[in-house]
PDB file of all heavy atoms in Angstrom:
ATOM      1  N   TRP S   1      13.117  -6.429   5.154  1.00 77.00           N
ATOM      2  CA  TRP S   1      11.922  -5.587   5.079  1.00 77.00           C
ATOM      3  C   TRP S   1      12.306  -4.125   4.870  1.00 77.00           C
ATOM      4  O   TRP S   1      11.649  -3.401   4.118  1.00 77.00           O
ATOM      5  CB  TRP S   1      11.102  -5.755   6.349  1.00 77.00           C
ATOM      6  CG  TRP S   1       9.918  -4.849   6.436  1.00 77.00           C
ATOM      7  CD1 TRP S   1       9.637  -3.953   7.414  1.00 77.00           C
ATOM      8  CD2 TRP S   1       8.846  -4.737   5.502  1.00 77.00           C
ATOM      9  NE1 TRP S   1       8.469  -3.284   7.154  1.00 77.00           N
ATOM     10  CE2 TRP S   1       7.955  -3.750   5.974  1.00 77.00           C
ATOM     11  CE3 TRP S   1       8.552  -5.367   4.292  1.00 77.00           C
ATOM     12  CZ2 TRP S   1       6.806  -3.386   5.313  1.00 77.00           C
ATOM     13  CZ3 TRP S   1       7.388  -4.993   3.622  1.00 77.00           C
ATOM     14  CH2 TRP S   1       6.532  -4.019   4.122  1.00 77.00           C
ATOM     15  N   GLU S   2      13.383  -3.682   5.505  1.00 80.00           N
ATOM     16  CA  GLU S   2      13.840  -2.317   5.319  1.00 80.00           C
ATOM     17  C   GLU S   2      14.273  -2.092   3.871  1.00 80.00           C
ATOM     18  O   GLU S   2      14.030  -1.022   3.300  1.00 80.00           O
ATOM     19  CB  GLU S   2      15.002  -2.010   6.275  1.00 80.00           C
ATOM     20  CG  GLU S   2      14.582  -1.895   7.744  1.00 80.00           C
ATOM     21  CD  GLU S   2      13.594  -0.768   7.955  1.00 80.00           C
ATOM     22  OE1 GLU S   2      13.714   0.268   7.273  1.00 80.00           O
ATOM     23  OE2 GLU S   2      12.694  -0.920   8.806  1.00 80.00           O
ATOM     24  N   ARG S   3      14.920  -3.095   3.262  1.00 79.00           N
ATOM     25  CA  ARG S   3      15.339  -2.958   1.863  1.00 79.00           C
ATOM     26  C   ARG S   3      14.132  -2.881   0.945  1.00 79.00           C
ATOM     27  O   ARG S   3      14.111  -2.115  -0.025  1.00 79.00           O
ATOM     28  CB  ARG S   3      16.216  -4.149   1.482  1.00 79.00           C
ATOM     29  CG  ARG S   3      17.576  -4.140   2.167  1.00 79.00           C
ATOM     30  CD  ARG S   3      18.381  -5.360   1.789  1.00 79.00           C
ATOM     31  NE  ARG S   3      18.636  -5.409   0.358  1.00 79.00           N
ATOM     32  CZ  ARG S   3      19.226  -6.444  -0.265  1.00 79.00           C
ATOM     33  NH1 ARG S   3      19.605  -7.503   0.449  1.00 79.00           N
ATOM     34  NH2 ARG S   3      19.435  -6.421  -1.562  1.00 79.00           N
ATOM     35  N   ILE S   4      13.072  -3.663   1.241  1.00 76.00           N
ATOM     36  CA  ILE S   4      11.869  -3.633   0.412  1.00 76.00           C
ATOM     37  C   ILE S   4      11.185  -2.269   0.529  1.00 76.00           C
ATOM     38  O   ILE S   4      10.755  -1.673  -0.469  1.00 76.00           O
ATOM     39  CB  ILE S   4      10.905  -4.763   0.837  1.00 76.00           C
ATOM     40  CG1 ILE S   4      11.522  -6.125   0.468  1.00 76.00           C
ATOM     41  CG2 ILE S   4       9.538  -4.590   0.190  1.00 76.00           C
ATOM     42  CD1 ILE S   4      10.742  -7.304   1.000  1.00 76.00           C
ATOM     43  N   ARG S   5      11.095  -1.757   1.752  1.00 73.00           N
ATOM     44  CA  ARG S   5      10.444  -0.472   1.974  1.00 73.00           C
ATOM     45  C   ARG S   5      11.186   0.656   1.267  1.00 73.00           C
ATOM     46  O   ARG S   5      10.582   1.680   0.913  1.00 73.00           O
ATOM     47  CB  ARG S   5      10.366  -0.175   3.469  1.00 73.00           C
ATOM     48  CG  ARG S   5       9.391  -1.062   4.211  1.00 73.00           C
ATOM     49  CD  ARG S   5       9.339  -0.690   5.677  1.00 73.00           C
ATOM     50  NE  ARG S   5       8.906   0.689   5.866  1.00 73.00           N
ATOM     51  CZ  ARG S   5       8.872   1.307   7.037  1.00 73.00           C
ATOM     52  NH1 ARG S   5       9.259   0.663   8.117  1.00 73.00           N
ATOM     53  NH2 ARG S   5       8.460   2.553   7.130  1.00 73.00           N
ATOM     54  N   ALA S   6      12.485   0.476   1.038  1.00 78.00           N
ATOM     55  CA  ALA S   6      13.276   1.516   0.387  1.00 78.00           C
ATOM     56  C   ALA S   6      13.097   1.534  -1.127  1.00 78.00           C
ATOM     57  O   ALA S   6      13.541   2.477  -1.797  1.00 78.00           O
ATOM     58  CB  ALA S   6      14.753   1.328   0.728  1.00 78.00           C
ATOM     59  N   LEU S   7      12.456   0.501  -1.720  1.00 76.00           N
ATOM     60  CA  LEU S   7      12.271   0.452  -3.170  1.00 76.00           C
ATOM     61  C   LEU S   7      11.308   1.551  -3.630  1.00 76.00           C
ATOM     62  O   LEU S   7      10.362   1.891  -2.926  1.00 76.00           O
ATOM     63  CB  LEU S   7      11.728  -0.916  -3.590  1.00 76.00           C
ATOM     64  CG  LEU S   7      12.679  -2.106  -3.385  1.00 76.00           C
ATOM     65  CD1 LEU S   7      11.955  -3.406  -3.702  1.00 76.00           C
ATOM     66  CD2 LEU S   7      13.918  -1.953  -4.261  1.00 76.00           C
ATOM     67  N   PRO S   8      11.513   2.104  -4.842  1.00 74.00           N
ATOM     68  CA  PRO S   8      10.624   3.152  -5.375  1.00 74.00           C
ATOM     69  C   PRO S   8       9.187   2.651  -5.493  1.00 74.00           C
ATOM     70  O   PRO S   8       8.950   1.539  -5.981  1.00 74.00           O
ATOM     71  CB  PRO S   8      11.222   3.466  -6.751  1.00 74.00           C
ATOM     72  CG  PRO S   8      12.645   3.024  -6.659  1.00 74.00           C
ATOM     73  CD  PRO S   8      12.650   1.832  -5.749  1.00 74.00           C
ATOM     74  N   GLY S   9       8.240   3.419  -5.043  1.00 68.00           N
ATOM     75  CA  GLY S   9       6.826   3.077  -5.187  1.00 68.00           C
ATOM     76  C   GLY S   9       6.238   2.281  -4.054  1.00 68.00           C
ATOM     77  O   GLY S   9       5.016   2.205  -3.923  1.00 68.00           O
ATOM     78  N   VAL S  10       7.061   1.637  -3.223  1.00 68.00           N
ATOM     79  CA  VAL S  10       6.520   0.805  -2.139  1.00 68.00           C
ATOM     80  C   VAL S  10       5.764   1.650  -1.139  1.00 68.00           C
ATOM     81  O   VAL S  10       4.694   1.291  -0.661  1.00 68.00           O
ATOM     82  CB  VAL S  10       7.653   0.016  -1.452  1.00 68.00           C
ATOM     83  CG1 VAL S  10       7.152  -0.643  -0.174  1.00 68.00           C
ATOM     84  CG2 VAL S  10       8.193  -1.039  -2.403  1.00 68.00           C
ATOM     85  N   GLY S  11       6.307   2.826  -0.809  1.00 68.00           N
ATOM     86  CA  GLY S  11       5.621   3.700   0.133  1.00 68.00           C
ATOM     87  C   GLY S  11       4.278   4.152  -0.396  1.00 68.00           C
ATOM     88  O   GLY S  11       3.296   4.213   0.340  1.00 68.00           O
ATOM     89  N   ILE S  12       4.213   4.447  -1.702  1.00 68.00           N
ATOM     90  CA  ILE S  12       2.953   4.867  -2.306  1.00 68.00           C
ATOM     91  C   ILE S  12       1.948   3.726  -2.267  1.00 68.00           C
ATOM     92  O   ILE S  12       0.780   3.916  -1.928  1.00 68.00           O
ATOM     93  CB  ILE S  12       3.189   5.328  -3.758  1.00 68.00           C
ATOM     94  CG1 ILE S  12       4.083   6.566  -3.762  1.00 68.00           C
ATOM     95  CG2 ILE S  12       1.855   5.602  -4.456  1.00 68.00           C
ATOM     96  CD1 ILE S  12       4.491   6.993  -5.156  1.00 68.00           C
ATOM     97  N   LEU S  13       2.383   2.500  -2.590  1.00 66.00           N
ATOM     98  CA  LEU S  13       1.486   1.347  -2.565  1.00 66.00           C
ATOM     99  C   LEU S  13       0.945   1.111  -1.172  1.00 66.00           C
ATOM    100  O   LEU S  13      -0.234   0.798  -0.990  1.00 66.00           O
ATOM    101  CB  LEU S  13       2.227   0.106  -3.059  1.00 66.00           C
ATOM    102  CG  LEU S  13       2.576   0.072  -4.550  1.00 66.00           C
ATOM    103  CD1 LEU S  13       3.453  -1.130  -4.862  1.00 66.00           C
ATOM    104  CD2 LEU S  13       1.291   0.003  -5.372  1.00 66.00           C
ATOM    105  N   ALA S  14       1.791   1.240  -0.183  1.00 65.00           N
ATOM    106  CA  ALA S  14       1.350   1.031   1.188  1.00 65.00           C
ATOM    107  C   ALA S  14       0.311   2.074   1.583  1.00 65.00           C
ATOM    108  O   ALA S  14      -0.690   1.748   2.219  1.00 65.00           O
ATOM    109  CB  ALA S  14       2.541   1.084   2.136  1.00 65.00           C
ATOM    110  N   ARG S  15       0.505   3.309   1.194  1.00 68.00           N
ATOM    111  CA  ARG S  15      -0.456   4.349   1.548  1.00 68.00           C
ATOM    112  C   ARG S  15      -1.781   4.124   0.836  1.00 68.00           C
ATOM    113  O   ARG S  15      -2.842   4.349   1.400  1.00 68.00           O
ATOM    114  CB  ARG S  15       0.117   5.726   1.207  1.00 68.00           C
ATOM    115  CG  ARG S  15       1.218   6.182   2.182  1.00 68.00           C
ATOM    116  CD  ARG S  15       1.527   7.662   2.014  1.00 68.00           C
ATOM    117  NE  ARG S  15       2.110   7.958   0.720  1.00 68.00           N
ATOM    118  CZ  ARG S  15       3.417   7.895   0.473  1.00 68.00           C
ATOM    119  NH1 ARG S  15       4.263   7.527   1.422  1.00 68.00           N
ATOM    120  NH2 ARG S  15       3.888   8.192  -0.725  1.00 68.00           N
ATOM    121  N   LEU S  16      -1.725   3.665  -0.431  1.00 67.00           N
ATOM    122  CA  LEU S  16      -2.947   3.355  -1.155  1.00 67.00           C
ATOM    123  C   LEU S  16      -3.698   2.212  -0.503  1.00 67.00           C
ATOM    124  O   LEU S  16      -4.919   2.229  -0.376  1.00 67.00           O
ATOM    125  CB  LEU S  16      -2.624   2.997  -2.610  1.00 67.00           C
ATOM    126  CG  LEU S  16      -2.280   4.152  -3.538  1.00 67.00           C
ATOM    127  CD1 LEU S  16      -1.819   3.611  -4.884  1.00 67.00           C
ATOM    128  CD2 LEU S  16      -3.495   5.053  -3.728  1.00 67.00           C
ATOM    129  N   ARG S  17      -2.950   1.206  -0.070  1.00 64.00           N
ATOM    130  CA  ARG S  17      -3.578   0.025   0.519  1.00 64.00           C
ATOM    131  C   ARG S  17      -4.355   0.389   1.773  1.00 64.00           C
ATOM    132  O   ARG S  17      -5.438  -0.128   2.022  1.00 64.00           O
ATOM    133  CB  ARG S  17      -2.495  -1.019   0.851  1.00 64.00           C
ATOM    134  CG  ARG S  17      -2.989  -2.202   1.677  1.00 64.00           C
ATOM    135  CD  ARG S  17      -3.999  -3.037   0.893  1.00 64.00           C
ATOM    136  NE  ARG S  17      -4.515  -4.115   1.690  1.00 64.00           N
ATOM    137  CZ  ARG S  17      -5.525  -4.021   2.535  1.00 64.00           C
ATOM    138  NH1 ARG S  17      -6.149  -2.870   2.701  1.00 64.00           N
ATOM    139  NH2 ARG S  17      -5.955  -5.054   3.221  1.00 64.00           N
ATOM    140  N   PHE S  18      -3.846   1.294   2.561  1.00 68.00           N
ATOM    141  CA  PHE S  18      -4.488   1.613   3.826  1.00 68.00           C
ATOM    142  C   PHE S  18      -5.311   2.890   3.765  1.00 68.00           C
ATOM    143  O   PHE S  18      -5.809   3.341   4.785  1.00 68.00           O
ATOM    144  CB  PHE S  18      -3.434   1.719   4.934  1.00 68.00           C
ATOM    145  CG  PHE S  18      -2.801   0.398   5.244  1.00 68.00           C
ATOM    146  CD1 PHE S  18      -1.505   0.119   4.837  1.00 68.00           C
ATOM    147  CD2 PHE S  18      -3.523  -0.583   5.907  1.00 68.00           C
ATOM    148  CE1 PHE S  18      -0.924  -1.103   5.106  1.00 68.00           C
ATOM    149  CE2 PHE S  18      -2.949  -1.811   6.192  1.00 68.00           C
ATOM    150  CZ  PHE S  18      -1.641  -2.076   5.784  1.00 68.00           C
ATOM    151  N   SER S  19      -5.468   3.475   2.568  1.00 73.00           N
ATOM    152  CA  SER S  19      -6.342   4.641   2.435  1.00 73.00           C
ATOM    153  C   SER S  19      -7.785   4.168   2.279  1.00 73.00           C
ATOM    154  O   SER S  19      -8.056   3.003   1.999  1.00 73.00           O
ATOM    155  CB  SER S  19      -5.945   5.463   1.205  1.00 73.00           C
ATOM    156  OG  SER S  19      -6.225   4.732   0.030  1.00 73.00           O
ATOM    157  N   ALA S  20      -8.734   5.094   2.468  1.00 74.00           N
ATOM    158  CA  ALA S  20     -10.145   4.746   2.324  1.00 74.00           C
ATOM    159  C   ALA S  20     -10.435   4.280   0.895  1.00 74.00           C
ATOM    160  O   ALA S  20     -11.161   3.307   0.677  1.00 74.00           O
ATOM    161  CB  ALA S  20     -11.010   5.963   2.685  1.00 74.00           C
ATOM    162  N   ALA S  21      -9.829   4.978  -0.087  1.00 74.00           N
ATOM    163  CA  ALA S  21     -10.046   4.579  -1.478  1.00 74.00           C
ATOM    164  C   ALA S  21      -9.479   3.186  -1.727  1.00 74.00           C
ATOM    165  O   ALA S  21     -10.080   2.363  -2.447  1.00 74.00           O
ATOM    166  CB  ALA S  21      -9.389   5.597  -2.414  1.00 74.00           C
ATOM    167  N   GLY S  22      -8.336   2.908  -1.149  1.00 72.00           N
ATOM    168  CA  GLY S  22      -7.734   1.588  -1.331  1.00 72.00           C
ATOM    169  C   GLY S  22      -8.595   0.497  -0.741  1.00 72.00           C
ATOM    170  O   GLY S  22      -8.743  -0.585  -1.319  1.00 72.00           O
ATOM    171  N   ARG S  23      -9.172   0.744   0.445  1.00 75.00           N
ATOM    172  CA  ARG S  23     -10.037  -0.261   1.063  1.00 75.00           C
ATOM    173  C   ARG S  23     -11.294  -0.498   0.226  1.00 75.00           C
ATOM    174  O   ARG S  23     -11.728  -1.637   0.069  1.00 75.00           O
ATOM    175  CB  ARG S  23     -10.408   0.186   2.491  1.00 75.00           C
ATOM    176  CG  ARG S  23      -9.251   0.079   3.485  1.00 75.00           C
ATOM    177  CD  ARG S  23      -9.753   0.200   4.926  1.00 75.00           C
ATOM    178  NE  ARG S  23     -10.363   1.500   5.186  1.00 75.00           N
ATOM    179  CZ  ARG S  23      -9.685   2.568   5.583  1.00 75.00           C
ATOM    180  NH1 ARG S  23      -8.373   2.504   5.751  1.00 75.00           N
ATOM    181  NH2 ARG S  23     -10.313   3.713   5.808  1.00 75.00           N
ATOM    182  N   ARG S  24     -11.877   0.610  -0.316  1.00 79.00           N
ATOM    183  CA  ARG S  24     -13.077   0.438  -1.151  1.00 79.00           C
ATOM    184  C   ARG S  24     -12.738  -0.344  -2.412  1.00 79.00           C
ATOM    185  O   ARG S  24     -13.507  -1.214  -2.848  1.00 79.00           O
ATOM    186  CB  ARG S  24     -13.658   1.806  -1.503  1.00 79.00           C
ATOM    187  CG  ARG S  24     -14.344   2.500  -0.323  1.00 79.00           C
ATOM    188  CD  ARG S  24     -15.187   3.678  -0.802  1.00 79.00           C
ATOM    189  NE  ARG S  24     -14.359   4.709  -1.428  1.00 79.00           N
ATOM    190  CZ  ARG S  24     -13.795   5.710  -0.749  1.00 79.00           C
ATOM    191  NH1 ARG S  24     -13.999   5.820   0.570  1.00 79.00           N
ATOM    192  NH2 ARG S  24     -13.065   6.611  -1.374  1.00 79.00           N
ATOM    193  N   ALA S  25     -11.580  -0.059  -3.008  1.00 76.00           N
ATOM    194  CA  ALA S  25     -11.180  -0.785  -4.214  1.00 76.00           C
ATOM    195  C   ALA S  25     -10.985  -2.255  -3.914  1.00 76.00           C
ATOM    196  O   ALA S  25     -11.368  -3.128  -4.711  1.00 76.00           O
ATOM    197  CB  ALA S  25      -9.888  -0.179  -4.782  1.00 76.00           C
ATOM    198  N   ALA S  26     -10.393  -2.575  -2.751  1.00 75.00           N
ATOM    199  CA  ALA S  26     -10.185  -3.970  -2.379  1.00 75.00           C
ATOM    200  C   ALA S  26     -11.521  -4.678  -2.177  1.00 75.00           C
ATOM    201  O   ALA S  26     -11.686  -5.841  -2.566  1.00 75.00           O
ATOM    202  CB  ALA S  26      -9.332  -4.047  -1.106  1.00 75.00           C
ATOM    203  N   GLN S  27     -12.499  -3.978  -1.575  1.00 78.00           N
ATOM    204  CA  GLN S  27     -13.805  -4.583  -1.371  1.00 78.00           C
ATOM    205  C   GLN S  27     -14.498  -4.885  -2.700  1.00 78.00           C
ATOM    206  O   GLN S  27     -15.109  -5.943  -2.882  1.00 78.00           O
ATOM    207  CB  GLN S  27     -14.681  -3.660  -0.523  1.00 78.00           C
ATOM    208  CG  GLN S  27     -14.216  -3.540   0.948  1.00 78.00           C
ATOM    209  CD  GLN S  27     -14.937  -2.449   1.673  1.00 78.00           C
ATOM    210  OE1 GLN S  27     -15.784  -1.739   1.073  1.00 78.00           O
ATOM    211  NE2 GLN S  27     -14.626  -2.296   2.954  1.00 78.00           N
ATOM    212  N   ARG S  28     -14.407  -3.904  -3.649  1.00 81.00           N
ATOM    213  CA  ARG S  28     -15.024  -4.129  -4.971  1.00 81.00           C
ATOM    214  C   ARG S  28     -14.360  -5.319  -5.667  1.00 81.00           C
ATOM    215  O   ARG S  28     -15.031  -6.128  -6.321  1.00 81.00           O
ATOM    216  CB  ARG S  28     -14.914  -2.861  -5.817  1.00 81.00           C
ATOM    217  CG  ARG S  28     -15.843  -1.739  -5.368  1.00 81.00           C
ATOM    218  CD  ARG S  28     -15.949  -0.669  -6.433  1.00 81.00           C
ATOM    219  NE  ARG S  28     -14.681   0.007  -6.666  1.00 81.00           N
ATOM    220  CZ  ARG S  28     -14.270   1.082  -5.998  1.00 81.00           C
ATOM    221  NH1 ARG S  28     -15.054   1.617  -5.061  1.00 81.00           N
ATOM    222  NH2 ARG S  28     -13.102   1.641  -6.252  1.00 81.00           N
ATOM    223  N   LEU S  29     -13.060  -5.417  -5.548  1.00 74.00           N
ATOM    224  CA  LEU S  29     -12.342  -6.524  -6.185  1.00 74.00           C
ATOM    225  C   LEU S  29     -12.773  -7.860  -5.608  1.00 74.00           C
ATOM    226  O   LEU S  29     -12.997  -8.839  -6.335  1.00 74.00           O
ATOM    227  CB  LEU S  29     -10.830  -6.324  -6.035  1.00 74.00           C
ATOM    228  CG  LEU S  29      -9.949  -7.392  -6.683  1.00 74.00           C
ATOM    229  CD1 LEU S  29     -10.212  -7.445  -8.182  1.00 74.00           C
ATOM    230  CD2 LEU S  29      -8.491  -7.089  -6.422  1.00 74.00           C
TER     231      LEU S  29
END
């Protein structure tokens, strides 16, 4: 899991997933 978290872009994806915009996008999907 630490190796996955170190990959480029993973941190950004995680922040998007748990942001308000990310939650709204998931609901629309």
Side-chain angles (χ1 to χ4, degrees):
W1 175 237
E2 289 299 325
R3 290 178 61 186
I4 292 173
R5 290 181 60 185
L7 293 174
V10 169
I12 296 174
L13 290 173
R15 286 193 294 273
L16 284 173
R17 171 65 183 85
F18 292 106
S19 68
R23 287 194 297 272
R24 287 194 297 271
Q27 291 170 358
R28 287 195 295 271
L29 181 60

